[in-house]
Amino acid sequence: MTRPVPGFSCDIVAQRDLVGEIRGFVGQRPCGFSAGILAADHAVGGELRALADDIDLKIFYHAVDLDLGGVDPLDRSHLRRVGAMAELLGSAHIATDGAMWVKDGEYLLEAMVPMALLDDTALYIADRIKLIQDIVQLPVAIENPPFFYLVGGRHVLSVMSEIAEEADCLLTLDSGHLWGYAHIAKCSLFPDDIDIPWDRVAEVHISGTRVASEAGEDSFVDDQHSWQPEEEVWSVLRSFLERADNLRFAMSEAEGMTAKSIGRNVQRIESMICSASEANEAA
Amino acid sequence: MSYESVMRLQWELLNARDPLPLLDSAPEGDRSVLSAGMTYGWWLDRLRRDARILGVLRDVLPASSVLFAGSSREAVRGFIGSAQFAGRGREVGSTYPPSHATVKAFVEYVRAGGWRPTGFFKECFDYEAGMAVPSEATYSSGTPLGGSFVVAPGAWLVCSRYDFEMYARRLHRALSEKPWHLAIRVHFPKEIATIVVSLAKDDSVRRVRLKGETASVVVQALGQGSGEPDTVATDLADRALNRLVDEGFLGVATS
């Protein structure tokens, strides 16, 4: 079982000054950074890489313009830019949410549309991931997106597992997103009938998802990275860490948090990684 | 029903001024799967999408308004439990809003003064891509920007959770009939003022990050604006522009 690198994300423009301080919370031990960045933003990418080299920070690329689940044809020249950004950052895979990230050439960013969970979703997205991987020559790690509402009745992990097997790609699991999804879908987190390929899970995330529900009415799920995750979401992360045996990166999605809060989260993740490793070794 | 057709229709519905007739005209398979998804979360997510919100903005705001785009969603939840929201006719087990409460009705409700910008409407803008909308051009302390500021009519002050240039372009396009020259984002990491300035001319946007003394000058200008808003805002724009030119980030002034 590999031991993943603990780490974090933060706003690479507004919070860049905090990166070194946050990294200091884990001392000289390995630490990672999730870079949510546009492929064309070479200047920011270059600055980030220089900073990472300077403070010994491993970068994991989160491509916010990689359109896994959209309906625009994939732009090969753009995919080559994505590959170049991955190379610039030194990322061994490319993570992004299973969602429509681009529409009519426009990057949707926070207005991205999560994938519909239908019977043919897996084949549709897997075909796009195959093309992406052919061009960028790196594996894609598709992430379960945040859902505020659901279109389609399939379990998100079932769809993602099929995508991973069909496209021969990696997975990223976000504990907050999954926890929120389970609330609005009124289903279990890990149904027994889903054979999740845990060996393909490359990254796990924790984010500040919250649920508001009133008796007898629908749950409302919201997700914001500046929120501290609920304890239940930490428990989901622990489940990930105990099951994913090829994990590369475990991180706190923390745009908008203070350096101190992010640092503590990274420390907690590091501690959970140690506990999970020891438990697995003992078993 | 296919994934592609459902995603296309979903996108159209999310951005339609009145989605229900569009849904009614969709093929049965697509309609049923999307109808099932159109719960309260769907409507709320749709309402706060920037395209939708900016479309509303064009109709309801004076050109001198300040746009503030932040990242706080906290008050959305608070609003859900408020009397304003409860009065919208939501029923247990139903989707929200009910069929008669279209977005058009929502807009009319806002226009009629049913919701003030400090309520849900503001939070919508705060939420996603953000755009928020105080009707006055002055903030008091306690805002995410940390102090009061004033900008001139026609100058749009933008604070976005992400400072991607794409957002600036979207704003620019959406507000193409409005004067739009300057977007400024203020942060205080480690209590040190940091400002991101985006400038737009035609379809190009330039972005620069100001720190230290330069940022302090701008912040000071923002904080001193209550007396002579037009002068301060103009001065602010000039300082930022000149600084950008001095630093080689900008070759052509945009205002």
Side-chain angles (χ1 to χ4, degrees):
Chain A
M1 181 171 185
T2 59
R3 181 171 288 206
V5 175
F8 62 98
S9 68
C10 66
D11 189 314
I12 56 177
V13 174
Q15 296 184 297
R16 201 182 309 165
D17 292 344
L18 306 183
V19 172
E21 182 180 343
I22 298 164
R23 197 261 179 269
F25 275 81
V26 292
Q28 299 302 310
R29 300 182 299 281
C31 187
F33 180 79
S34 176
I37 188 171
L38 290 169
D41 212 343
H42 295 293
V44 174
E47 291 171 16
L48 190 58
R49 178 59 193 267
L51 173 64
D53 289 345
D54 188 43
I55 62 175
D56 190 22
L57 192 67
K58 186 172 178 56
I59 301 180
F60 294 84
Y61 180 21
H62 193 87
V64 293
D65 49 5
L66 187 56
D67 190 26
L68 302 187
V71 295
D72 281 7
L74 286 167
D75 179 344
R76 290 168 183 262
S77 62
H78 176 71
L79 295 180
R80 283 190 282 274
R81 285 195 292 273
V82 170
M85 178 59 78
E87 185 176 358
L88 173 64
L89 298 175
S91 185
H93 63 264
I94 303 169
T96 199
D97 299 57
M100 175 160 68
W101 282 101
V102 183
K103 185 69 174 71
D104 301 327
E106 182 179 13
Y107 303 138
L108 305 181
L109 301 171
E110 284 206 337
M112 60 87 161
V113 181
M115 59 185 174
L117 301 173
L118 306 172
D119 288 339
D120 68 334
T121 299
L123 282 179
Y124 180 88
I125 292 182
D127 279 348
R128 293 171 72 91
I129 292 177
K130 287 177 191 173
L131 175 61
I132 292 166
Q133 292 182 147
D134 283 347
I135 292 175
V136 303
Q137 289 294 298
L138 284 174
V140 167
I142 182 173
E143 177 177 349
N144 56 314
F147 289 100
F148 308 115
Y149 60 92
L150 294 174
V151 173
R154 295 283 307 275
H155 194 288
V156 64
L157 291 184
S158 173
V159 171
M160 290 179 61
S161 298
E162 287 180 21
I163 291 172
E165 297 294 350
E166 177 65 26
D168 192 17
C169 70
L170 301 175
L171 294 172
T172 293
L173 296 181
D174 186 297
S175 53
H177 296 174
L178 183 62
W179 184 72
Y181 163 82
H183 270 276
I184 57 175
K186 297 179 173 59
C187 66
S188 63
L189 293 165
F190 307 110
D192 293 336
D193 60 343
I194 299 176
D195 186 16
I196 301 166
W198 288 102
D199 59 328
R200 291 182 182 274
V201 179
E203 290 189 25
V204 293
H205 299 175
I206 183 164
S207 58
T209 304
R210 292 179 184 175
V211 173
S213 58
E214 301 164 28
E217 299 193 12
D218 293 338
S219 294
F220 171 65
V221 173
D222 205 355
D223 164 80
Q224 186 170 319
H225 294 176
S226 63
W227 287 342
Q228 268 297 343
E230 305 274 2
E231 280 305 311
E232 289 179 72
V233 179
W234 282 103
S235 297
V236 179
L237 181 71
R238 183 176 297 108
S239 298
F240 291 164
L241 292 171
E242 290 169 353
R243 299 172 192 214
D245 51 5
N246 281 322
L247 204 53
R248 300 173 178 179
F249 185 38
M251 71 95 164
S252 169
E253 294 189 344
E255 287 84 355
M257 282 190 196
T258 64
K260 193 173 183 180
S261 296
I262 300 172
R264 285 177 175 168
N265 282 355
V266 178
Q267 288 176 326
R268 184 169 180 180
I269 291 171
E270 186 181 36
S271 173
M272 292 172 72
I273 290 170
C274 290
S275 299
S277 297
E278 289 168 4
N280 279 310
E281 287 167 8
Chain B
M1 177 183 66
S2 69
Y3 175 85
E4 186 172 354
S5 66
V6 166
M7 291 298 283
R8 285 186 188 281
L9 181 55
Q10 187 180 349
W11 176 256
E12 291 174 13
L13 291 169
L14 284 166
N15 291 285
R17 192 161 188 84
D18 190 356
L20 295 177
L22 182 62
L23 182 67
D24 288 342
S25 64
E28 168 54 30
D30 293 354
R31 184 166 67 242
S32 61
V33 72
L34 279 161
S35 293
M38 291 172 74
T39 56
Y40 168 67
W42 188 92
W43 284 94
L44 187 61
D45 192 38
R46 176 176 180 276
L47 281 175
R48 61 195 174 194
R49 283 176 183 277
D50 50 354
R52 170 73 252 147
I53 292 165
L54 282 172
V56 176
L57 248 189
R58 279 197 295 267
D59 296 336
V60 300
L61 294 182
S64 58
S65 294
V66 175
L67 266 181
F68 167 65
S71 58
S72 171
R73 306 179 194 180
E74 301 275 357
V76 173
R77 290 204 318 158
F79 182 80
I80 291 168
S82 72
Q84 283 176 306
F85 189 78
R88 295 291 294 159
R90 186 182 181 205
E91 298 173 2
V92 174
S94 68
T95 59
Y96 179 84
S99 59
H100 63 275
T102 62
V103 170
K104 184 178 179 183
F106 171 78
V107 173
E108 289 171 351
Y109 186 58
V110 172
R111 281 174 168 162
W115 279 341
R116 299 294 180 186
T118 52
F120 171 72
F121 208 29
K122 178 178 182 301
E123 292 309 318
C124 285
F125 287 92
D126 279 349
Y127 175 78
E128 193 67 56
M131 288 123 242
V133 56
S135 57
E136 299 175 1
T138 304
Y139 283 82
S140 59
S141 60
T143 69
L145 292 182
S148 63
F149 58 88
V150 176
V151 296
W156 295 86
L157 187 64
V158 177
C159 177
S160 173
R161 180 175 170 184
Y162 291 99
D163 188 50
F164 294 127
E165 293 179 5
M166 186 59 67
Y167 274 164
R169 290 200 182 96
R170 295 185 76 172
L171 279 168
H172 193 193
R173 276 207 303 272
L175 302 168
S176 59
E177 295 179 1
K178 310 286 185 186
W180 189 95
H181 307 296
L182 180 64
I184 302 175
R185 183 188 194 197
V186 185
H187 308 278
F188 295 90
K190 293 182 180 176
E191 307 301 321
I192 299 172
T194 302
I195 292 181
V196 176
V197 177
S198 298
L199 290 165
K201 178 176 176 60
D202 299 328
D203 199 33
S204 64
V205 177
R206 298 297 297 267
R207 187 183 67 203
V208 63
R209 190 162 173 261
L210 305 177
K211 291 172 61 180
E213 186 179 349
T214 307
S216 297
V217 169
V218 179
V219 169
Q220 191 177 13
L222 290 169
Q224 289 178 343
S226 57
E228 300 176 82
D230 293 355
T231 303
V232 170
T234 304
D235 185 42
L236 166 64
D238 288 344
R239 287 179 197 224
L241 284 168
N242 290 336
R243 185 75 185 184
L244 288 168
V245 173
D246 290 343
E247 294 181 354
F249 287 100
L250 199 67
V252 181
T254 59
S255 60

